[in-house]
Amino acid sequence: MKNYVIKREAFQAVGIKREFSFVNNDHHAKIPQMWDELNKDGTTDTLVKLNNGQIKGILGVCVMDKNKQSQQIIDYWIAAEYKGDKPNGLESIEISASKWMVFEVNGVMPDAIQHAWKTIFSEWFPISGYEHAGIPEFEVYPEGDPYNENYYSEIWVPVK
């Protein structure tokens, strides 16, 4: 899996947030259902139009709240980088400045991204010399057909 390091200042993203459980890998089924719902109702089209930041594409932001960690719950956002006042009907999240390890992911969604996450934490982190920086991590989904075997996406993991 190809990867590279990038440094970014803090930025804002706007979108929709939901909670998902890690118990029995429940999130593996329910996060793709959220994507399907927001694609069908036009929310992702709205986010594409709002995207005015450096990162081009829709973000899947993963936030592990320390207060919910023992319950194995994650907040997951479908969002876009956005500069400006929060649009009506959306929530905003501040992504802290960090050094990021960006992993290139190729393949059909959601299988390719789920496999990449597993590889990052089970194989890459143990031998990388890096530690997770403890802030939200995210996926980047550029325009294109996510069900195409050549679809390109990214995973951004904050590292120190």
Side-chain angles (χ1 to χ4, degrees), residues 33-44:
Q33 290 172 359
M34 179 184 179
W35 278 98
D36 288 343
E37 177 187 327
L38 298 186
N39 284 332
K40 287 177 186 168
D41 74 9
T43 301
T44 54

Side-chain angles (χ1 to χ4, degrees), residues 1 6 16 50 79 110 128 149 153:
M1 191 169 16
I6 190 169
I16 304 292
L50 288 171
S128 71
E149 64 186 32
S153 59

Side-chain angles (χ1 to χ4, degrees), residues 55 95 148:
I55 299 172
I95 307 294
N148 184 301

Side-chain angles (χ1 to χ4, degrees), residues 123-142:
E123 297 175 23
W124 184 83
F125 261 118
I127 62 169
S128 71
Y130 285 99
E131 293 178 41
H132 196 287
I135 62 172
E137 55 210 12
F138 58 91
E139 306 147 349
V140 179
Y141 298 98

Side-chain angles (χ1 to χ4, degrees), residues 48-106:
V48 167
K49 291 174 188 166
L50 288 171
N51 184 316
N52 63 6
Q54 292 179 17
I55 299 172
K56 300 303 177 200
I58 302 297
L59 308 179
V61 183
C62 307
V63 182
M64 181 62 78
D65 184 333
K66 290 181 175 128
N67 297 326
K68 299 176 186 175
Q69 198 166 9
S70 64
Q71 301 166 336
Q72 296 187 33
I73 292 175
I74 188 172
D75 287 339
Y76 186 84
W77 294 70
I78 295 179
E81 185 175 355
Y82 179 73
K83 296 176 186 173
D85 295 332
K86 179 179 69 73
N88 288 337
L90 298 175
E91 297 181 72
S92 67
I93 182 172
E94 180 82 8
I95 307 294
S96 300
S98 186
K99 177 174 22 173
W100 301 89
M101 186 61 65
V102 179
F103 295 88
E104 298 180 0
V105 181
N106 292 287

Side-chain angles (χ1 to χ4, degrees), residues 21-29 72:
S21 171
F22 277 115
V23 176
N24 298 320
N25 287 320
D26 195 40
H27 64 296
H28 283 291
Q72 296 187 33

